[in-house]
Amino acid sequence: MKRAFQLLLLLALPLVGNAQEQKNHHLEVAKNLDIFNQIYKNLDLMYVDTLNPRQVIGNAINAMLHGLDPYTEYYPESETKNLKMMLTGKYAGVGALIRYHTKRKRVVIDEPYEGMPAAEVGLKKGDIILSIDDSVMTDKNVSYVSSHLRGEPGTSFLLKVERPSAGGKKMDFKVTRKNIKLPALPYYGLLEDGIGYINLNSFTEDCSKEVRRAYVDLKKQGASSLIFDLRSNGGGSEMEAVDIVNLWVPKGQTIVENRGKVKRANHAYKTRFEPVDTLMPLVVLVNGETASASEITSGSLQDLDRAVVLGTRTYGKGLVQLPLDLPYNTNLKLTTSKYYIPSGRCIQAINYRRNGVGGYTERVPDSLTHVFYTRNGREVRDGGGIKPDLEVKADTMANIAFYLSASGQDSTEVMFDWVVDYIAKHPTIAPVREFHLTDAEFADFKAHVIASGFTYDPVSQKQLAELVKTAKFEGYYDDAKEAFDALEKQLKHDVAKDIDKNEEELRHLLEMSILTAYYYQAGTIEASLQYDKQVKEAIRLLKNPEEYRKLLTPKDENKPKERALMPLKREKDPNLTKTQKIIWEMLA
């Protein structure tokens, strides 16, 4: 009886303490809001210059949010369209990628989207944007030009461009904006030996329906296994992720739980429909840019032992955001909870903490992560994203390839211009899987690179320069000067030699860029698969059923199967108060 009374007393103490703490918290909130209000009133009344309230208060809001996680963001009225586009994948414009051409110092068309206004009126890769209606664009940056290309659907404008591939011909196009929905599923198809492939690049509205249609179509074509590509997919809708998992998981299975401060807002998402196929072997491709809803999808399929995850560790975003409407057409995207996938783990990789100055981050080290178990009893861990069942690193890009491509910001723009000229000379090209540059065409590209005066900084030369600097500082350089000179001679910059050495990769880059102009994004993806190291490994795995099965089997066959998923608490919380710890021990 005495023990029971002690336990009741101990249980009551935290409630009293929490109530007082809550009261103090509300008092602090009210006090500081009053202080902020009075400061701004006095600034507005007496400051030497007239204040811009939108700017000053907007800066204050952004400074306040800076101390939180990077996903909690304020959207003033002028930016609410950006939030809508992010959530839906839709915007109103012309449907084309644009870029800054370093050599010409102009914004140019890079990639028109299939079936969109830019492609329909005949805009081509390399077209220089001169003006939009009466607004001159020749001295503007990409952001400025982009904002003028976008607008209300149905509105038209006159676009003036210069086409270098046609001798600098000036051309006028009347373009009518329309709602643009970026393709969530740009490509799917049947690969070798009945292996299907689906590429999903975002979790926007109705993407699960697109994946379902693609999957059903692949099965009709004879697919007996599937590669589901979520690499560089930054996520999106949580419910879409659940519905995609539902394609391969029975109805009624809890896929993800959201748990936050507001308990009534906590929610568990279950599969709602009968699955399409619960047996077909699946491989999910992931990388370091696979995040959020992509991690819910790949992590849930891993926890339920429904697929082999292949690639490199994912980003590790285990936080959930909720868009909130604010007064005067403003919005707040607010982090409200963490999500937990079927094993009970949260894969958030970074702790966002606050100090007196601003926000700072702290990555969860592997040593502090905890072990959870899949349905079959395989060990998985929380924190740090989704670790693949089979780690396969992607091929790295050669240094010269990086500098020649758009990524490297080559000041000569020789690769971009050569592709534009090639497209102008070839009204049509071979089908995607048959198209390849001839030896003569690649030799022509090489000659253009050399003639352009293209140069780049090889990493080896930079590192040698640092080594020489260090040797001089430590007094070893004079004794080793002869060896340094010999090494420098061997590492001497030779563009022609570097092109020959990396010919295969440069061919691939050129072919991908050319194919995009004729077959759009789908063609580029289809062609890239034949060179993709991770896709090749996924194909190899799916051709070896025994190895596939082994990856989904616990290393210790004696581990208990069908473990309870999503436990409320896996172990004693290290953040318990002293009183709570006493209660834990008494109840244990």
Side-chain angles (χ1 to χ4, degrees), residues 309-367:
V309 178
L310 184 151
T312 55
R313 187 179 296 210
T314 64
Y315 184 82
K317 181 178 182 289
L319 304 176
V320 180
Q321 285 72 48
L322 179 69
L324 298 176
D325 292 331
L326 299 178
Y328 307 105
N329 296 318
T330 61
N331 291 89
L332 178 67
K333 181 163 67 70
L334 176 65
T335 297
T336 56
S337 58
K338 292 182 179 181
Y339 69 76
Y340 298 80
I341 51 180
S343 64
R345 56 180 170 148
C346 175
I347 52 87
Q348 176 65 22
I350 296 175
N351 288 328
Y352 295 101
R353 303 181 182 276
R354 281 84 67 194
N355 57 21
V357 180
Y360 67 94
T361 63
E362 181 182 272
R363 180 165 288 275
V364 179
D366 287 343
S367 60

Side-chain angles (χ1 to χ4, degrees), residues 19 108 254 280 319 330 359 429 431 450 478 535:
V108 301
T254 300
M280 180 185 285
L319 304 176
T330 61
I429 60 173
I450 295 170
D478 291 337
V535 169

Side-chain angles (χ1 to χ4, degrees), residues 399-405 408-415 445-446 448-457 493-496 498-499 506:
N399 206 22
I400 188 172
F402 171 80
Y403 277 94
L404 280 169
S405 68
Q409 297 294 308
D410 169 31
S411 60
T412 69
E413 296 280 7
V414 62
M415 179 177 279
F445 167 71
K446 177 181 174 181
H448 272 74
V449 174
I450 295 170
S452 72
F454 166 79
T455 59
Y456 72 104
D457 298 321
H493 198 58
D494 188 335
V495 172
D498 291 344
I499 290 175
L506 291 171

Side-chain angles (χ1 to χ4, degrees), residues 176-366:
T176 301
R177 301 179 181 94
K178 72 177 185 179
N179 284 323
I180 310 296
K181 187 179 187 303
L182 302 178
L185 198 161
Y187 175 76
Y188 74 92
L190 197 62
L191 308 182
E192 58 191 84
D193 296 329
I195 298 173
Y197 172 87
I198 296 176
N199 182 296
L200 185 71
N201 63 21
S202 64
F203 283 78
T204 49
E205 286 179 343
D206 295 328
C207 72
S208 58
K209 294 179 182 178
E210 293 184 52
V211 175
R212 175 181 284 267
R213 281 193 292 266
Y215 184 58
V216 169
D217 187 33
L218 287 172
K219 283 175 67 71
K220 288 180 180 178
Q221 294 181 46
S224 55
S225 59
L226 179 74
I227 299 171
F228 189 40
D229 195 344
L230 294 179
R231 290 175 297 180
S232 301
N233 185 323
S237 167
E238 196 173 20
M239 197 62 239
E240 293 293 334
V242 175
D243 286 346
I244 287 173
V245 173
N246 194 176
L247 294 174
W248 306 295
V249 170
K251 181 179 179 181
Q253 171 69 61
T254 300
I255 300 301
V256 61
E257 285 188 16
N258 295 345
R259 303 177 197 161
K261 183 190 295 182
V262 183
K263 302 303 179 186
R264 65 177 179 274
N266 290 352
H267 188 72
Y269 292 90
K270 296 177 180 287
T271 49
R272 304 179 293 167
F273 312 109
E274 293 301 327
V276 178
D277 191 317
T278 60
L279 298 176
M280 180 185 285
L282 307 176
V283 171
V284 181
L285 300 183
V286 298
N287 64 9
E289 296 176 8
T290 300
S292 190
S294 292
E295 292 176 295
I296 292 174
T297 303
S298 55
S300 296
L301 291 170
Q302 184 181 61
D303 282 358
L304 297 170
D305 297 300
R306 183 61 190 86
V308 169
V309 178
L310 184 151
T312 55
R313 187 179 296 210
T314 64
Y315 184 82
K317 181 178 182 289
L319 304 176
V320 180
Q321 285 72 48
L322 179 69
L324 298 176
D325 292 331
L326 299 178
Y328 307 105
N329 296 318
T330 61
N331 291 89
L332 178 67
K333 181 163 67 70
L334 176 65
T335 297
T336 56
S337 58
K338 292 182 179 181
Y339 69 76
Y340 298 80
I341 51 180
S343 64
R345 56 180 170 148
C346 175
I347 52 87
Q348 176 65 22
I350 296 175
N351 288 328
Y352 295 101
R353 303 181 182 276
R354 281 84 67 194
N355 57 21
V357 180
Y360 67 94
T361 63
E362 181 182 272
R363 180 165 288 275
V364 179
D366 287 343

Side-chain angles (χ1 to χ4, degrees), residues 82 85 91-94 145-152 157 177:
N82 294 336
M85 176 187 164
Y91 68 96
V94 302
V145 175
S146 177
S147 68
H148 281 69
L149 289 173
R150 293 182 181 183
E152 292 300 316
F157 63 93
R177 301 179 181 94

